[in-house]
């Protein structure tokens, strides 16, 4: 038995986590779930959206499956998602974007992987509020040391890009390409404008690429990358990006394969990994048994692969693909018409997937 932390989350998280857990259990994977709370419900009860016990469980088990968690705007609570990534140093966000037959989408043959650096860049959280003494001090210092002047009434967000973090994420991308039979890594940047951050990212990317002669390497400027992904996404394989571009391009790529309902993800570090859908808690649908469990279940597929349970992972992915291709027992967003009354709920789609797993287990 492998022990895995299950964090149901909030909003639609608990119903999605329940659907994913049932599907994973139906593969026969030997997993013992340790259920731990995080999010707005536990915050209302205990005053903390991320109890120490949950952090301790993920640290000890080193693997977690997590439902989405709401980040309330202006509540004063720390973002649970950002805290977990930083605290556990989950530096690689991996988001495979793959077309499945039957999903309404502009493209039918996408198979690319977005690898986003998770710890630095404008997301590092180093910010100075307009008119604060720190902002004033920093602006004065910068104006003394730079030809370009910053207006005194500015707020500042700092963009750190280090050799250390760039080297490890680009290396991760190449190792991922090698171990997953991928042919090419594309490093994305804006080095023509931000020479000392994105320029450094590109320089380090090129250095790392030299160590992997068996994998093709290329780079793209981020604006061009967006256009290329819309025009000819089939040209790309593994993309590696700094944090902010990675965030934006992940959603663009989710759009290429039919939307957030089908986009899985993983946050991986050297000592722990958390598997979760790309989408958020979709609070307006909470408790309605309505939203699509596919992204969460496919995040479970990634987790099973991570645990070395490849056979269970492949069977579960095939069952999901079959149910989607058949198009009967799918949620509203996977129907050609979103008002289709034949759309089923979250738990019903999970039931259909579990039934498929049963069929897959029968001898021919
Ligand atoms: P969201 O992804 O929750 O929802 C945006 C829209 O996408 C929904 O209204 C819905 O139409 C669609 N959608 C999302 N998930 C779907 C699913 N499984 N099936 C079908 N349709 C789906 O984004 P948001 O509204 O910007 O964020 C809501 C909350 O979630 C915010 O508090 C945000 O901070 C949080 N969030 C959490 C995570 C995370 O836990 N990792 C990630 C992103 C956002």
């Amino acid at each position: 038995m492998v022990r895995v932390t299950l964090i149901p989350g909030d909003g639609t998280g608990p119903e999605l986590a329940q659907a994913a857990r049932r599907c994973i259990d139906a593969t026969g994977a030997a997993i013992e779930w340790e259920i731990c709370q995080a999010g707005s419900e536990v915050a209302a009860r205990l005053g903390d959206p991320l109890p120490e016990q949950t952090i301790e469980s993920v640290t000890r088990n080193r693997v977690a499956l997590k439902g989405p968690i709401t980040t309330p705007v202006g509540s004063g609570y720390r973002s649970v998602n950002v805290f977990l990534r930083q605290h556990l140093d989950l530096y690689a966000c991996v988001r495979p974007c793959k077309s499945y037959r039957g999903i309404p989408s502009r493209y039918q043959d996408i198979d690319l992987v977005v690898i986003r650096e998770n710890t630095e860049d404008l997301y590092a959280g180093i910010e100075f509020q307009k008119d604060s003494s720190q902002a004033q001090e920093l602006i004065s210092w910068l104006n003394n040391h730079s030809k370009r002047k910053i207006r005194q009434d500015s707020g500042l967000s700092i963009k750190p890009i280090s050799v250390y973090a760039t080297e490890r994420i680009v290396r991760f991308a190449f190792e991922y390409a090698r171990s997953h039979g991928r042919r090419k890594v594309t490093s994305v940047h804006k080095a023509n404008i931000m020479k000392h951050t994105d320029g450094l990212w590109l320089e380090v990317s090129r250095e790392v690429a030299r160590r992997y002669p068996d994998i093709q390497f290329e780079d793209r400027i981020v604006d061009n990358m967006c256009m290329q992904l819309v025009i000819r996404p089939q040209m790309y394989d593994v993309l590696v990006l700094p944090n902010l571009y990675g965030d934006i391009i992940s959603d663009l790529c989710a759009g290429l394969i039919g939307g957030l309902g089908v986009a899985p993800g993983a946050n991986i570090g050297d000592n722990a990994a958390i598997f979760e859908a790309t989408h958020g808690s979709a609070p307006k649908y909470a408790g309605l048994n309505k939203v699509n469990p596919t992204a969460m279940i496919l995040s479970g597929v990634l987790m099973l692969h991570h645990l070395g349970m490849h056979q269970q992972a492949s069977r579960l992915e095939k069952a999901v693909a079959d149910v989607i291709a058949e198009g009967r027992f799918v949620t509203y967003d996977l129907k050609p018409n979103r008002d289709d009354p034949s759309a089923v709920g979250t738990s019903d789609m999970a039931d259909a997937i579990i039934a498929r797993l049963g069929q897959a287990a029968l001898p021919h």
Side-chain angles (χ1 to χ4, degrees):
M1 277 289 194
V2 179
R3 196 177 299 152
V4 169
T5 304
L6 180 67
I7 304 174
D10 59 27
T12 54
E15 51 206 286
L16 292 169
Q18 174 69 358
R21 175 191 174 167
R22 289 200 296 121
C23 290
I24 293 167
D25 286 344
T27 67
I31 290 177
E32 185 190 328
W33 301 100
E34 194 167 289
I35 299 174
C36 291
Q37 301 306 322
S40 56
E41 280 132 49
V42 71
R45 253 188 307 121
L46 304 180
D48 184 353
L50 184 59
E52 197 52 44
Q53 189 199 352
T54 303
I55 302 173
E56 188 273 322
S57 170
V58 184
T59 310
R60 179 169 31 80
N61 294 331
R62 299 162 65 107
V63 178
L65 182 65
K66 177 184 147 310
I69 292 176
T70 308
T71 305
V73 180
S75 74
Y77 286 135
R78 55 190 169 167
S79 161
V80 170
N81 302 310
V82 173
F83 179 85
L84 278 173
R85 284 170 209 158
Q86 287 177 351
H87 182 76
L88 298 164
D89 199 19
L90 307 178
Y91 60 86
C93 178
V94 180
R95 289 178 171 168
C97 293
K98 184 168 158 185
S99 302
Y100 289 95
R101 196 164 61 82
I103 295 180
S105 174
R106 284 180 191 280
Y107 304 92
Q108 302 310 324
D109 49 357
I110 308 290
D111 184 10
L112 49 84
V113 182
V114 178
I115 296 181
R116 161 186 173 190
E117 204 287 324
N118 242 352
T119 66
E120 294 200 325
D121 196 2
L122 284 164
Y123 263 71
I126 307 168
E127 299 204 285
F128 299 95
Q129 193 177 4
K130 174 180 85 70
D131 297 333
S132 66
S133 59
Q134 295 96 330
Q136 295 292 320
E137 200 179 322
L138 196 49
I139 290 169
S140 302
W141 189 91
L142 290 166
N143 285 346
N144 281 334
H145 290 81
S146 164
K147 278 189 239 108
R148 298 268 309 156
K149 301 300 173 209
I150 299 175
R151 292 188 185 89
Q152 215 62 40
D153 61 349
S154 302
L156 300 172
S157 298
I158 305 295
K159 172 176 167 126
I161 298 274
S162 69
V163 171
Y164 173 85
T166 306
E167 201 272 342
R168 76 175 172 175
I169 193 69
V170 178
R171 186 159 34 87
F172 182 98
F174 275 97
E175 289 293 334
Y176 182 98
R178 240 183 210 171
S179 60
H180 290 75
R182 301 264 168 181
R183 64 182 201 291
K184 182 167 79 171
V185 171
T186 305
S187 174
V188 183
H189 59 85
K190 188 84 184 172
N192 51 331
I193 303 296
M194 284 167 278
K195 297 187 194 314
H196 299 303
T197 48
D198 288 27
L200 183 61
W201 166 277
L202 178 58
E203 190 187 317
V204 174
S205 294
R206 286 180 173 146
E207 260 172 49
V208 174
R210 273 186 224 115
R211 289 181 235 152
Y212 295 86
D214 50 320
I215 309 284
Q216 285 176 53
F217 172 74
E218 64 183 11
D219 70 277
R220 289 282 179 279
I221 293 176
V222 63
D223 37 354
N224 180 31
M225 185 78 246
C226 291
M227 187 193 69
Q228 297 279 334
L229 282 169
V230 171
I231 292 181
R232 49 179 83 86
Q234 299 82 1
M235 297 289 292
Y236 297 94
D237 194 354
V238 176
L239 309 180
V240 62
L241 311 94
N243 212 337
L244 179 63
Y245 309 146
D247 184 37
I248 297 166
I249 292 221
S250 295
D251 270 32
L252 190 157
C253 291
L256 297 177
I257 56 162
L260 286 173
V262 294
N267 293 293
I268 300 177
D270 292 334
N271 298 311
I274 297 183
F275 295 82
E276 61 178 341
T278 297
H279 62 69
S281 56
K284 69 180 174 193
Y285 296 123
L288 299 182
N289 190 34
K290 183 172 169 80
V291 291
N292 189 347
T294 301
M296 187 81 189
I297 297 170
L298 291 177
S299 301
V301 169
L302 299 179
M303 186 190 82
L304 289 170
H305 279 301
H306 180 85
L307 292 170
M309 300 179 180
H310 301 295
Q311 196 241 1
Q312 290 88 338
S314 302
R315 282 181 55 226
L316 180 53
E317 185 182 7
K318 182 169 184 322
V320 172
D322 286 349
V323 166
I324 292 173
E326 191 192 32
R328 279 178 72 202
F329 300 104
V330 295
T331 47
Y332 71 100
D333 55 315
L334 295 184
K335 293 283 184 183
N337 173 1
R338 288 186 156 229
D339 302 322
D340 190 330
S342 73
V344 302
T346 310
S347 60
D348 312 286
M349 185 165 173
D351 287 341
I353 293 165
I354 291 164
R356 281 275 167 178
L357 279 166
Q359 280 174 21
L362 289 173
H364 293 289

